[in-house]
Amino acid sequence: MNIPPKAPQPAALDTQNHLILPPEILQEFGAQPGDELSLRVTPEGILLRPPLSQLRKVYVEPTSRCNFACRTCIRNAWGEPPGVMAQETFRHVLATLEAFSPRPAVFLGGFGEPLTHPDIVRMVGDASRAASRVELITNGALLGEQLARGLIEAGLDTLWVSLDGASPDSFVDVRQSEAFGEILQNISRYREIYRQTRGGTADIGAVFVAMKRNIDELPKLLNMSSKVGIGRYMVTNILPYTPEMCEEVLYHRAIERVAWQASPWHPHVNMPEIDLSQNTHEALFHAWATRPGVMFKRHDRCPFIEQRSISISWDGYASPCLALLHSHESYLFDKKRNVTRWRIDNVNETPLAEIWHLPEYRAFRERVEQFDFSPCTYCASCEMAEANQEDCFGNTFPACGGCLWAQGVIQCP
């Protein structure tokens, strides 16, 4: 759930070389005797994940409508009509969460602005009673005092705000909106209302879409954290939906992904793979100088499968990830790529718990966990890379070799 790393936990080997995990770790995993956990050896050590059978996170798209017209948005190359999730559909999403142990988290986001949904406060309240925790991402423009208070009182655990600049001019350039100052005030007020009503410090994160036109704003944005209450950052690259946006990418020669955790007094910064180039050198140097961290490669690992998540579109269709939630066009190194959505099933017709355990879906998760797909993100030399229908390794739809999420280039909270 993109929570900053915790302190190391003790573990031990018994006389038969069986790994003994602390009870609190087993409880957090929801692990039972006989469960098969996922183990991966990384440059940092052993990475242990819950069984593939566990659902840990549900991305819910309250709406595909938005009050902004960002130059980076999928709507610039999207023909789908906008829609709003019905309350009945949302009830179907939450209805079977209690069938999972531990209960999954709910993340309210997707390809629209959640705060434009007329019942968003009610949705947060319903989710907080059914899920282990509730997160929401917003552009922040509609986060007025009444709505902020409603979200906090409804039980929102984590607020993510999309901020693609650290000045009014850069924000206008990317977001096509002059609401930058108002958004910062909204974040500060949210923090204060949280302190007054729930006590403690609000969990607020910022998402920054890095590109050539705004990468120099990154150090400034990090330095704003203490002023407005942002505790962590997630930096992602731009996924170009138009030919014009191809000129903005920063990952042709991507360096290793970086996760910064300088000290408890600095915000956690989650970086994508990004070029160290003329465009990025100065910004990254200044950012690293104040928040040194650890570099490690992150290739061929689907973040959605690794966190055991599922995505639900506003009309109730379940997909394995946000990338397959809607059909769309994007560009992979200047080549147009057609991504076809995968509708596994609809929660209005089949309970979510049943969808999660469908044999076809389980087999897909196992395939992606192994990630034996062709390296389209590095090769992209044949026509198969222009869609997600099949690849040269013999994988059929959906083929994930051209997915930039799996290469650590694109990130989502």
Side-chain angles (χ1 to χ4, degrees), residues 166-193:
S167 66
D169 290 343
S170 63
F171 193 83
V172 168
D173 181 45
V174 176
R175 293 279 173 173
Q176 311 290 294
S177 168
E178 298 181 354
F180 181 72
E182 181 182 354
I183 291 170
L184 294 186
Q185 292 176 5
N186 290 344
I187 298 173
S188 296
R189 183 173 53 233
Y190 179 93
R191 174 182 61 172
E192 180 59 21
I193 295 174

PDB file of all heavy atoms in Angstrom, residues 166-193:
ATOM      1  N   ALA A 166       5.656  22.996  -8.744  1.00  0.00           N
ATOM      2  CA  ALA A 166       5.851  23.641  -7.451  1.00  0.00           C
ATOM      3  C   ALA A 166       5.671  25.143  -7.553  1.00  0.00           C
ATOM      4  O   ALA A 166       6.059  25.879  -6.653  1.00  0.00           O
ATOM      5  CB  ALA A 166       7.237  23.316  -6.911  1.00  0.00           C
ATOM      6  N   SER A 167       5.091  25.595  -8.647  1.00  0.00           N
ATOM      7  CA  SER A 167       4.832  27.020  -8.843  1.00  0.00           C
ATOM      8  C   SER A 167       3.565  27.161  -9.671  1.00  0.00           C
ATOM      9  O   SER A 167       3.183  26.254 -10.421  1.00  0.00           O
ATOM     10  CB  SER A 167       6.008  27.690  -9.557  1.00  0.00           C
ATOM     11  OG  SER A 167       6.129  27.183 -10.875  1.00  0.00           O
ATOM     12  N   PRO A 168       2.884  28.303  -9.562  1.00  0.00           N
ATOM     13  CA  PRO A 168       1.661  28.513 -10.348  1.00  0.00           C
ATOM     14  C   PRO A 168       1.890  28.363 -11.847  1.00  0.00           C
ATOM     15  O   PRO A 168       1.049  27.784 -12.550  1.00  0.00           O
ATOM     16  CB  PRO A 168       1.254  29.945  -9.971  1.00  0.00           C
ATOM     17  CG  PRO A 168       1.830  30.158  -8.608  1.00  0.00           C
ATOM     18  CD  PRO A 168       3.126  29.410  -8.603  1.00  0.00           C
ATOM     19  N   ASP A 169       3.028  28.864 -12.340  1.00  0.00           N
ATOM     20  CA  ASP A 169       3.280  28.803 -13.785  1.00  0.00           C
ATOM     21  C   ASP A 169       3.424  27.375 -14.285  1.00  0.00           C
ATOM     22  O   ASP A 169       2.846  27.002 -15.319  1.00  0.00           O
ATOM     23  CB  ASP A 169       4.539  29.606 -14.132  1.00  0.00           C
ATOM     24  CG  ASP A 169       4.332  31.107 -13.984  1.00  0.00           C
ATOM     25  OD1 ASP A 169       3.161  31.533 -13.930  1.00  0.00           O
ATOM     26  OD2 ASP A 169       5.333  31.838 -13.906  1.00  0.00           O
ATOM     27  N   SER A 170       4.214  26.568 -13.586  1.00  0.00           N
ATOM     28  CA  SER A 170       4.399  25.186 -14.033  1.00  0.00           C
ATOM     29  C   SER A 170       3.112  24.392 -13.886  1.00  0.00           C
ATOM     30  O   SER A 170       2.816  23.512 -14.700  1.00  0.00           O
ATOM     31  CB  SER A 170       5.532  24.521 -13.244  1.00  0.00           C
ATOM     32  OG  SER A 170       5.217  24.443 -11.868  1.00  0.00           O
ATOM     33  N   PHE A 171       2.340  24.678 -12.841  1.00  0.00           N
ATOM     34  CA  PHE A 171       1.076  23.973 -12.640  1.00  0.00           C
ATOM     35  C   PHE A 171       0.097  24.298 -13.764  1.00  0.00           C
ATOM     36  O   PHE A 171      -0.572  23.406 -14.285  1.00  0.00           O
ATOM     37  CB  PHE A 171       0.482  24.356 -11.288  1.00  0.00           C
ATOM     38  CG  PHE A 171      -0.648  23.464 -10.847  1.00  0.00           C
ATOM     39  CD1 PHE A 171      -0.393  22.259 -10.229  1.00  0.00           C
ATOM     40  CD2 PHE A 171      -1.968  23.829 -11.064  1.00  0.00           C
ATOM     41  CE1 PHE A 171      -1.427  21.429  -9.826  1.00  0.00           C
ATOM     42  CE2 PHE A 171      -3.013  23.007 -10.674  1.00  0.00           C
ATOM     43  CZ  PHE A 171      -2.742  21.808 -10.049  1.00  0.00           C
ATOM     44  N   VAL A 172       0.027  25.550 -14.149  1.00  0.00           N
ATOM     45  CA  VAL A 172      -0.844  25.943 -15.257  1.00  0.00           C
ATOM     46  C   VAL A 172      -0.402  25.255 -16.540  1.00  0.00           C
ATOM     47  O   VAL A 172      -1.223  24.780 -17.337  1.00  0.00           O
ATOM     48  CB  VAL A 172      -0.824  27.470 -15.450  1.00  0.00           C
ATOM     49  CG1 VAL A 172      -1.483  27.864 -16.772  1.00  0.00           C
ATOM     50  CG2 VAL A 172      -1.543  28.160 -14.303  1.00  0.00           C
ATOM     51  N   ASP A 173       0.903  25.179 -16.748  1.00  0.00           N
ATOM     52  CA  ASP A 173       1.436  24.586 -17.970  1.00  0.00           C
ATOM     53  C   ASP A 173       1.006  23.136 -18.131  1.00  0.00           C
ATOM     54  O   ASP A 173       0.635  22.705 -19.226  1.00  0.00           O
ATOM     55  CB  ASP A 173       2.964  24.680 -17.948  1.00  0.00           C
ATOM     56  CG  ASP A 173       3.585  24.106 -19.201  1.00  0.00           C
ATOM     57  OD1 ASP A 173       3.082  24.403 -20.301  1.00  0.00           O
ATOM     58  OD2 ASP A 173       4.571  23.354 -19.092  1.00  0.00           O
ATOM     59  N   VAL A 174       1.026  22.366 -17.032  1.00  0.00           N
ATOM     60  CA  VAL A 174       0.699  20.940 -17.109  1.00  0.00           C
ATOM     61  C   VAL A 174      -0.787  20.695 -16.891  1.00  0.00           C
ATOM     62  O   VAL A 174      -1.431  19.979 -17.652  1.00  0.00           O
ATOM     63  CB  VAL A 174       1.515  20.143 -16.062  1.00  0.00           C
ATOM     64  CG1 VAL A 174       1.104  18.670 -16.082  1.00  0.00           C
ATOM     65  CG2 VAL A 174       3.004  20.278 -16.339  1.00  0.00           C
ATOM     66  N   ARG A 175      -1.336  21.307 -15.852  1.00  0.00           N
ATOM     67  CA  ARG A 175      -2.710  21.011 -15.449  1.00  0.00           C
ATOM     68  C   ARG A 175      -3.758  21.884 -16.137  1.00  0.00           C
ATOM     69  O   ARG A 175      -4.959  21.625 -16.001  1.00  0.00           O
ATOM     70  CB  ARG A 175      -2.842  21.167 -13.927  1.00  0.00           C
ATOM     71  CG  ARG A 175      -2.064  20.128 -13.138  1.00  0.00           C
ATOM     72  CD  ARG A 175      -2.831  18.849 -13.057  1.00  0.00           C
ATOM     73  NE  ARG A 175      -2.077  17.771 -12.453  1.00  0.00           N
ATOM     74  CZ  ARG A 175      -2.598  16.597 -12.161  1.00  0.00           C
ATOM     75  NH1 ARG A 175      -3.871  16.364 -12.400  1.00  0.00           N
ATOM     76  NH2 ARG A 175      -1.866  15.637 -11.640  1.00  0.00           N
ATOM     77  N   GLN A 176      -3.303  22.914 -16.826  1.00  0.00           N
ATOM     78  CA  GLN A 176      -4.233  23.826 -17.499  1.00  0.00           C
ATOM     79  C   GLN A 176      -5.218  24.435 -16.499  1.00  0.00           C
ATOM     80  O   GLN A 176      -6.396  24.626 -16.784  1.00  0.00           O
ATOM     81  CB  GLN A 176      -5.001  23.097 -18.611  1.00  0.00           C
ATOM     82  CG  GLN A 176      -4.130  22.278 -19.558  1.00  0.00           C
ATOM     83  CD  GLN A 176      -3.254  23.134 -20.459  1.00  0.00           C
ATOM     84  OE1 GLN A 176      -3.744  23.861 -21.316  1.00  0.00           O
ATOM     85  NE2 GLN A 176      -1.949  23.075 -20.256  1.00  0.00           N
ATOM     86  N   SER A 177      -4.723  24.704 -15.295  1.00  0.00           N
ATOM     87  CA  SER A 177      -5.566  25.240 -14.226  1.00  0.00           C
ATOM     88  C   SER A 177      -4.751  26.234 -13.399  1.00  0.00           C
ATOM     89  O   SER A 177      -3.542  26.063 -13.215  1.00  0.00           O
ATOM     90  CB  SER A 177      -6.074  24.122 -13.317  1.00  0.00           C
ATOM     91  OG  SER A 177      -6.657  24.638 -12.140  1.00  0.00           O
ATOM     92  N   GLU A 178      -5.412  27.257 -12.887  1.00  0.00           N
ATOM     93  CA  GLU A 178      -4.756  28.260 -12.062  1.00  0.00           C
ATOM     94  C   GLU A 178      -5.056  28.045 -10.582  1.00  0.00           C
ATOM     95  O   GLU A 178      -4.987  28.982  -9.778  1.00  0.00           O
ATOM     96  CB  GLU A 178      -5.196  29.663 -12.499  1.00  0.00           C
ATOM     97  CG  GLU A 178      -4.809  29.995 -13.942  1.00  0.00           C
ATOM     98  CD  GLU A 178      -5.226  31.395 -14.354  1.00  0.00           C
ATOM     99  OE1 GLU A 178      -5.915  32.071 -13.545  1.00  0.00           O
ATOM    100  OE2 GLU A 178      -4.859  31.824 -15.465  1.00  0.00           O
ATOM    101  N   ALA A 179      -5.369  26.825 -10.198  1.00  0.00           N
ATOM    102  CA  ALA A 179      -5.800  26.537  -8.827  1.00  0.00           C
ATOM    103  C   ALA A 179      -4.654  26.118  -7.912  1.00  0.00           C
ATOM    104  O   ALA A 179      -4.902  25.635  -6.810  1.00  0.00           O
ATOM    105  CB  ALA A 179      -6.856  25.429  -8.846  1.00  0.00           C
ATOM    106  N   PHE A 180      -3.413  26.326  -8.313  1.00  0.00           N
ATOM    107  CA  PHE A 180      -2.285  25.832  -7.534  1.00  0.00           C
ATOM    108  C   PHE A 180      -2.286  26.349  -6.090  1.00  0.00           C
ATOM    109  O   PHE A 180      -2.203  25.574  -5.136  1.00  0.00           O
ATOM    110  CB  PHE A 180      -0.970  26.211  -8.221  1.00  0.00           C
ATOM    111  CG  PHE A 180       0.256  25.719  -7.503  1.00  0.00           C
ATOM    112  CD1 PHE A 180       0.578  24.373  -7.506  1.00  0.00           C
ATOM    113  CD2 PHE A 180       1.083  26.600  -6.820  1.00  0.00           C
ATOM    114  CE1 PHE A 180       1.712  23.908  -6.849  1.00  0.00           C
ATOM    115  CE2 PHE A 180       2.214  26.150  -6.162  1.00  0.00           C
ATOM    116  CZ  PHE A 180       2.528  24.802  -6.175  1.00  0.00           C
ATOM    117  N   GLY A 181      -2.384  27.660  -5.926  1.00  0.00           N
ATOM    118  CA  GLY A 181      -2.384  28.228  -4.585  1.00  0.00           C
ATOM    119  C   GLY A 181      -3.544  27.728  -3.748  1.00  0.00           C
ATOM    120  O   GLY A 181      -3.391  27.420  -2.559  1.00  0.00           O
ATOM    121  N   GLU A 182      -4.703  27.617  -4.363  1.00  0.00           N
ATOM    122  CA  GLU A 182      -5.888  27.125  -3.656  1.00  0.00           C
ATOM    123  C   GLU A 182      -5.705  25.670  -3.220  1.00  0.00           C
ATOM    124  O   GLU A 182      -6.116  25.285  -2.123  1.00  0.00           O
ATOM    125  CB  GLU A 182      -7.109  27.256  -4.561  1.00  0.00           C
ATOM    126  CG  GLU A 182      -8.407  26.794  -3.937  1.00  0.00           C
ATOM    127  CD  GLU A 182      -9.580  26.903  -4.893  1.00  0.00           C
ATOM    128  OE1 GLU A 182      -9.395  27.445  -6.001  1.00  0.00           O
ATOM    129  OE2 GLU A 182     -10.679  26.432  -4.537  1.00  0.00           O
ATOM    130  N   ILE A 183      -5.068  24.869  -4.068  1.00  0.00           N
ATOM    131  CA  ILE A 183      -4.851  23.462  -3.742  1.00  0.00           C
ATOM    132  C   ILE A 183      -3.913  23.329  -2.541  1.00  0.00           C
ATOM    133  O   ILE A 183      -4.167  22.520  -1.637  1.00  0.00           O
ATOM    134  CB  ILE A 183      -4.291  22.710  -4.966  1.00  0.00           C
ATOM    135  CG1 ILE A 183      -5.362  22.606  -6.054  1.00  0.00           C
ATOM    136  CG2 ILE A 183      -3.792  21.323  -4.572  1.00  0.00           C
ATOM    137  CD1 ILE A 183      -4.857  22.093  -7.376  1.00  0.00           C
ATOM    138  N   LEU A 184      -2.857  24.129  -2.500  1.00  0.00           N
ATOM    139  CA  LEU A 184      -1.954  24.088  -1.349  1.00  0.00           C
ATOM    140  C   LEU A 184      -2.685  24.490  -0.073  1.00  0.00           C
ATOM    141  O   LEU A 184      -2.475  23.889   0.995  1.00  0.00           O
ATOM    142  CB  LEU A 184      -0.760  25.010  -1.585  1.00  0.00           C
ATOM    143  CG  LEU A 184       0.204  24.621  -2.718  1.00  0.00           C
ATOM    144  CD1 LEU A 184       1.401  25.558  -2.729  1.00  0.00           C
ATOM    145  CD2 LEU A 184       0.662  23.173  -2.602  1.00  0.00           C
ATOM    146  N   GLN A 185      -3.549  25.485  -0.161  1.00  0.00           N
ATOM    147  CA  GLN A 185      -4.351  25.879   1.001  1.00  0.00           C
ATOM    148  C   GLN A 185      -5.280  24.744   1.423  1.00  0.00           C
ATOM    149  O   GLN A 185      -5.475  24.500   2.629  1.00  0.00           O
ATOM    150  CB  GLN A 185      -5.162  27.128   0.673  1.00  0.00           C
ATOM    151  CG  GLN A 185      -4.323  28.381   0.482  1.00  0.00           C
ATOM    152  CD  GLN A 185      -5.162  29.580   0.064  1.00  0.00           C
ATOM    153  OE1 GLN A 185      -6.388  29.510   0.005  1.00  0.00           O
ATOM    154  NE2 GLN A 185      -4.489  30.683  -0.238  1.00  0.00           N
ATOM    155  N   ASN A 186      -5.845  24.053   0.442  1.00  0.00           N
ATOM    156  CA  ASN A 186      -6.736  22.931   0.748  1.00  0.00           C
ATOM    157  C   ASN A 186      -5.997  21.817   1.488  1.00  0.00           C
ATOM    158  O   ASN A 186      -6.536  21.204   2.425  1.00  0.00           O
ATOM    159  CB  ASN A 186      -7.357  22.383  -0.534  1.00  0.00           C
ATOM    160  CG  ASN A 186      -8.365  23.329  -1.155  1.00  0.00           C
ATOM    161  OD1 ASN A 186      -8.836  24.270  -0.500  1.00  0.00           O
ATOM    162  ND2 ASN A 186      -8.725  23.085  -2.407  1.00  0.00           N
ATOM    163  N   ILE A 187      -4.757  21.535   1.050  1.00  0.00           N
ATOM    164  CA  ILE A 187      -3.972  20.488   1.714  1.00  0.00           C
ATOM    165  C   ILE A 187      -3.660  20.889   3.150  1.00  0.00           C
ATOM    166  O   ILE A 187      -3.798  20.088   4.079  1.00  0.00           O
ATOM    167  CB  ILE A 187      -2.672  20.217   0.931  1.00  0.00           C
ATOM    168  CG1 ILE A 187      -2.979  19.712  -0.474  1.00  0.00           C
ATOM    169  CG2 ILE A 187      -1.810  19.192   1.674  1.00  0.00           C
ATOM    170  CD1 ILE A 187      -1.754  19.590  -1.371  1.00  0.00           C
ATOM    171  N   SER A 188      -3.227  22.130   3.339  1.00  0.00           N
ATOM    172  CA  SER A 188      -2.910  22.606   4.688  1.00  0.00           C
ATOM    173  C   SER A 188      -4.131  22.563   5.597  1.00  0.00           C
ATOM    174  O   SER A 188      -4.038  22.171   6.769  1.00  0.00           O
ATOM    175  CB  SER A 188      -2.365  24.038   4.620  1.00  0.00           C
ATOM    176  OG  SER A 188      -1.142  24.087   3.911  1.00  0.00           O
ATOM    177  N   ARG A 189      -5.283  22.963   5.052  1.00  0.00           N
ATOM    178  CA  ARG A 189      -6.498  22.954   5.857  1.00  0.00           C
ATOM    179  C   ARG A 189      -6.913  21.531   6.193  1.00  0.00           C
ATOM    180  O   ARG A 189      -7.362  21.258   7.319  1.00  0.00           O
ATOM    181  CB  ARG A 189      -7.629  23.670   5.116  1.00  0.00           C
ATOM    182  CG  ARG A 189      -8.920  23.773   5.939  1.00  0.00           C
ATOM    183  CD  ARG A 189      -9.957  24.629   5.253  1.00  0.00           C
ATOM    184  NE  ARG A 189     -10.196  24.179   3.902  1.00  0.00           N
ATOM    185  CZ  ARG A 189     -10.124  24.984   2.828  1.00  0.00           C
ATOM    186  NH1 ARG A 189      -9.817  26.264   2.970  1.00  0.00           N
ATOM    187  NH2 ARG A 189     -10.355  24.511   1.616  1.00  0.00           N
ATOM    188  N   TYR A 190      -6.756  20.614   5.250  1.00  0.00           N
ATOM    189  CA  TYR A 190      -7.072  19.206   5.511  1.00  0.00           C
ATOM    190  C   TYR A 190      -6.234  18.696   6.675  1.00  0.00           C
ATOM    191  O   TYR A 190      -6.741  18.014   7.570  1.00  0.00           O
ATOM    192  CB  TYR A 190      -6.814  18.382   4.253  1.00  0.00           C
ATOM    193  CG  TYR A 190      -7.084  16.900   4.410  1.00  0.00           C
ATOM    194  CD1 TYR A 190      -8.315  16.371   4.079  1.00  0.00           C
ATOM    195  CD2 TYR A 190      -6.087  16.034   4.888  1.00  0.00           C
ATOM    196  CE1 TYR A 190      -8.565  15.004   4.218  1.00  0.00           C
ATOM    197  CE2 TYR A 190      -6.333  14.683   5.035  1.00  0.00           C
ATOM    198  CZ  TYR A 190      -7.566  14.169   4.704  1.00  0.00           C
ATOM    199  OH  TYR A 190      -7.822  12.833   4.857  1.00  0.00           O
ATOM    200  N   ARG A 191      -4.937  19.017   6.658  1.00  0.00           N
ATOM    201  CA  ARG A 191      -4.049  18.587   7.748  1.00  0.00           C
ATOM    202  C   ARG A 191      -4.528  19.125   9.093  1.00  0.00           C
ATOM    203  O   ARG A 191      -4.539  18.405  10.095  1.00  0.00           O
ATOM    204  CB  ARG A 191      -2.627  19.056   7.470  1.00  0.00           C
ATOM    205  CG  ARG A 191      -1.657  18.779   8.615  1.00  0.00           C
ATOM    206  CD  ARG A 191      -0.272  19.300   8.350  1.00  0.00           C
ATOM    207  NE  ARG A 191      -0.238  20.738   8.162  1.00  0.00           N
ATOM    208  CZ  ARG A 191       0.881  21.466   8.057  1.00  0.00           C
ATOM    209  NH1 ARG A 191       2.046  20.858   8.108  1.00  0.00           N
ATOM    210  NH2 ARG A 191       0.835  22.760   7.886  1.00  0.00           N
ATOM    211  N   GLU A 192      -4.927  20.390   9.128  1.00  0.00           N
ATOM    212  CA  GLU A 192      -5.345  20.998  10.378  1.00  0.00           C
ATOM    213  C   GLU A 192      -6.673  20.416  10.870  1.00  0.00           C
ATOM    214  O   GLU A 192      -6.842  20.148  12.068  1.00  0.00           O
ATOM    215  CB  GLU A 192      -5.477  22.517  10.205  1.00  0.00           C
ATOM    216  CG  GLU A 192      -5.903  23.268  11.455  1.00  0.00           C
ATOM    217  CD  GLU A 192      -4.942  23.088  12.620  1.00  0.00           C
ATOM    218  OE1 GLU A 192      -3.762  22.733  12.386  1.00  0.00           O
ATOM    219  OE2 GLU A 192      -5.368  23.297  13.773  1.00  0.00           O
ATOM    220  N   ILE A 193      -7.629  20.200   9.963  1.00  0.00           N
ATOM    221  CA  ILE A 193      -8.904  19.592  10.351  1.00  0.00           C
ATOM    222  C   ILE A 193      -8.677  18.184  10.880  1.00  0.00           C
ATOM    223  O   ILE A 193      -9.289  17.768  11.871  1.00  0.00           O
ATOM    224  CB  ILE A 193      -9.886  19.570   9.154  1.00  0.00           C
ATOM    225  CG1 ILE A 193     -10.258  20.997   8.745  1.00  0.00           C
ATOM    226  CG2 ILE A 193     -11.149  18.785   9.502  1.00  0.00           C
ATOM    227  CD1 ILE A 193     -11.102  21.065   7.485  1.00  0.00           C
TER     228      ILE A 193
END
